[in-house]
Amino acid sequence: MLRKSNLSEQAYRLLAERIIGGRYPAGTRLTEEVLAAEFGISRTPLREALRRLTAEGLIEPLPKRGLRVVSPSPEEIAELFDCRSRIEPQLLREALPHIPTSELRELRRRIETGGPEESLAVDEAMHRLIAEHCGNRFFREIALNLLKRSAPYRTLRNCTIPETPRSERIGLLDAMIAGDAETAAELLIRHFRFAETDP
């Protein structure tokens, strides 16, 4: 049940969190009726939240059947991760000196002790740290939007071959903790290239 104020924003944040976190994986069907009943709100604020998620590319309409979490084509996936591989490594180089090592160590601890869902949550947090400490508000906005757009595929990859992305994330975090920006950037590029070619 959502609070009575700013219902559309709350619904948007909760839905985005569920998509990014994997609770609603790619292809999941969403209906206004079910969501409105679950959240305890009318359809008007819910529709605004769904419009925002549609505009951001996280969900798409189904003819006469509600909406679903996007299931990107192989071509879209390749283009998306190619875009991220060109932008985010440079942001990492600029951001790394400003990211608290304590936060990176905590992410490292979480990924060592958690399962696939925690690995995905750590990935989300790690990429957010890079965006938030890059020092440029416009690049931050671009990076965070690309991270959202990647969410359905990241969830699928994490569930089908969990050990591969987990080991990649551990190696990347180790390089970041060591303050080795160049190695971290190279590992990040490799991480994106693996994501492009996974089935």
Side-chain angles (χ1 to χ4, degrees):
M1 182 76 69
L2 301 183
R3 297 188 304 273
K4 295 300 182 184
S5 61
N6 205 5
L7 294 175
S8 177
E9 179 67 22
Q10 291 180 68
Y12 164 79
R13 290 183 180 277
L14 182 57
L15 287 166
E17 179 182 300
R18 290 182 177 185
I19 294 169
I20 292 167
R23 182 167 173 180
Y24 296 156
T28 299
R29 183 171 173 247
L30 305 173
T31 65
E32 290 183 8
E33 182 179 7
V34 171
L35 291 173
E38 180 182 352
F39 295 170
I41 61 175
S42 71
R43 294 194 185 189
T44 300
L46 178 62
R47 283 173 182 157
E48 178 57 32
L50 293 172
R51 277 195 291 269
R52 288 178 65 184
L53 292 166
T54 302
E56 291 176 354
L58 288 181
I59 61 176
E60 60 187 358
L62 294 171
K64 301 181 181 179
R65 295 178 52 213
L67 305 108
R68 71 178 172 191
V69 178
V70 295
S71 185
S73 69
E75 293 77 16
E76 289 170 325
I77 291 168
E79 289 181 6
L80 178 57
F81 282 97
D82 177 57
C83 182
R84 291 186 67 187
S85 74
R86 298 186 192 199
I87 294 173
E88 199 165 326
Q90 183 56 36
L91 298 188
L92 187 155
R93 293 184 182 96
E94 296 171 6
L96 188 56
H98 309 290
I99 299 175
T101 304
S102 60
E103 294 192 38
L104 295 173
R105 291 187 185 281
E106 174 60 16
L107 293 180
R108 181 67 162 77
R109 183 196 66 77
R110 287 171 54 192
I111 202 170
E112 279 285 1
T113 58
E117 288 187 4
E118 186 68 0
S119 177
L120 189 61
V122 167
D123 184 76
E124 166 80 8
M126 178 176 63
H127 289 289
R128 281 189 172 275
L129 281 176
I130 293 170
E132 289 168 357
H133 289 84
C134 73
N136 183 306
R137 71 188 70 183
F138 299 105
F139 274 127
R140 175 184 179 275
E141 183 179 337
I142 291 169
L144 292 177
N145 183 56
L146 290 172
L147 180 60
K148 277 187 181 179
R149 295 292 295 270
S150 305
Y153 180 66
R154 290 168 55 246
T155 302
L156 176 63
R157 182 173 188 244
N158 205 73
C159 292
T160 55
I161 46 171
E163 288 306 313
T164 299
R166 179 178 179 275
S167 64
E168 291 168 8
R169 290 161 189 156
I170 289 173
L172 179 52
L173 282 167
D174 284 344
M176 293 174 72
I177 290 168
D180 187 344
E182 287 306 314
T183 296
E186 286 301 316
L187 289 172
L188 186 58
I189 292 170
R190 193 180 309 167
H191 179 64
F192 287 138
R193 285 176 180 165
F194 286 155
E196 284 183 54
T197 56
D198 281 337

